[in-house]
Amino acid sequence: MAFWGGAGVAALCVAALGLGGCSTAGYYAQAARGHLDLLARARPVPELLADGSTPEALRRQLALSQRIRDFAVAELHLPDNRSYRSYTDLGRTAAVWNVVATPELSLKLKTWCFPVVGCIGYRGYYDRAAADALASQLQAEGWEATVYGVPAYSTLGWSEWLGGDPLLNTFIGWPEGELARMVFHELAHQVAYADDDTAFNESFATAVERIGSERWLNEHAAPGAREAYAAQGQRRADFRALTQAARADLQALYASTASDADKRAAKAERLARLRADYEVIKRERWGGFTGYDAWFARAGNPSLAVQGAYNDLVPQFLRLYERQGRSFPRFYDEVRRLAALPMAERRAALQAEP
């Protein structure tokens, strides 16, 4: 659920083209074309609900999405705008494909820098072949690189004048709790944004999605939705525990005084153990659920580093929400205040105990 990525820069570039703010060549051009194509295909949800040719399963999910969207405004105080009031069928399984890279013996993500939004730890493409080409180039340069599909991204409100961010076929069919989680996460990115701090931005949005999904399911869930979400939530928790343990071990390894050859051997052993542990959990706890197979197939430094961005600061944001009396307006005000600070001050304030 990349919130901006290279591809998301498209909305900003489109706004800035007339001012010379972004180059139309190369990377920015594909980003602008891809995002404008996504918007051009969008149809208002009320129109689709009134259209007799809309498949019934899609009609049900679109209607559900609008109840979730209304809840996001009324109960979570998320932005009341045109985002997620329209729908686009992209005819593919991902909105964009992100490229992430790290050194061979480090969990520090390579960053790319863009106007206004600053530096981020991934680069997005609307074409899978282009993403694969960049990953191959980075690997040839000595980086460890991988590509993963992203079901949605947020333009941080910059594309509101073009109709806002639409619902997409890449996630509209998800179970109720998962659909709510996605919408809340992406809308949270429109609330606050810290330049050059992917972990802050993603962990904040993840905290909002967790709080919001729990409230939605407690108050509005259809029969069986809470149980399904709880089962998936347990799998997510198991996944986080597995990957956090592997990251901690690899971070200690890379910081050690061992030779590079010994580090490479220990790294290979730890990744093999990670995959073996996953197979045990999949078999013994998940009933054979295969939803994480693709992630573990490409597991390495880049994918582990990305997981850290989404999860490492979530406990601090949850504590901050509690300290603000569970008031979303106060919580968001404090997050925006922190986002405006220099990174060192921001992290110190977020980590501080009450």
Side-chain angles (χ1 to χ4, degrees), residues 116-120 193-198 201 339 341 343 346:
V116 180
V117 300
C119 299
I120 54 180
Y193 179 82
D195 290 354
D196 304 339
D197 199 341
T198 299
N201 297 321
L341 297 174
M343 183 184 290
R346 178 189 312 137

Side-chain angles (χ1 to χ4, degrees), residues 89-254:
D89 187 342
L90 294 170
R92 58 181 188 256
T93 59
V96 294
W97 286 268
N98 276 356
V99 182
V100 287
T102 64
E104 179 190 12
L105 298 174
S106 171
L107 292 176
K108 183 175 177 59
L109 285 169
K110 175 179 173 60
T111 58
W112 288 268
C113 299
F114 303 97
V116 180
V117 300
C119 299
I120 54 180
Y122 43 89
R123 188 165 172 132
Y125 289 86
Y126 288 88
D127 177 61
R128 174 65 191 259
D132 288 338
L134 175 60
S136 295
Q137 175 189 326
L138 291 168
Q139 289 163 0
E141 295 172 0
W143 296 89
E144 185 175 337
T146 192
V147 176
Y148 63 96
V150 176
Y153 63 83
S154 170
T155 56
L156 312 184
W158 286 98
S159 66
E160 177 64 15
W161 63 288
L162 293 170
D165 298 328
L167 298 157
L168 301 174
N169 68 293
T170 53
F171 64 86
I172 192 63
W174 288 5
E176 181 175 338
E178 300 302 310
L179 179 59
R181 182 172 68 87
M182 173 68 78
V183 171
F184 301 154
H185 183 106
E186 300 305 333
L187 284 171
H189 284 311
Q190 298 185 19
V191 171
Y193 179 82
D195 290 354
D196 304 339
D197 199 341
T198 299
F200 180 91
N201 297 321
E202 290 297 349
S203 292
F204 163 63
T206 299
V208 172
E209 79 173 48
R210 290 189 193 176
I211 299 166
S213 297
E214 181 178 353
R215 288 186 56 172
W216 167 265
L217 291 168
N218 285 340
E219 299 172 21
H220 300 285
R226 278 192 293 182
E227 292 76 10
Y229 187 76
Q232 181 59 21
Q234 183 58 59
R235 289 190 288 265
R236 272 194 297 272
D238 291 341
F239 172 73
R240 286 196 300 270
L242 278 178
T243 56
Q244 286 171 353
R247 283 197 348 260
D249 289 346
L250 288 174
Q251 283 172 334
L253 171 68
Y254 298 150

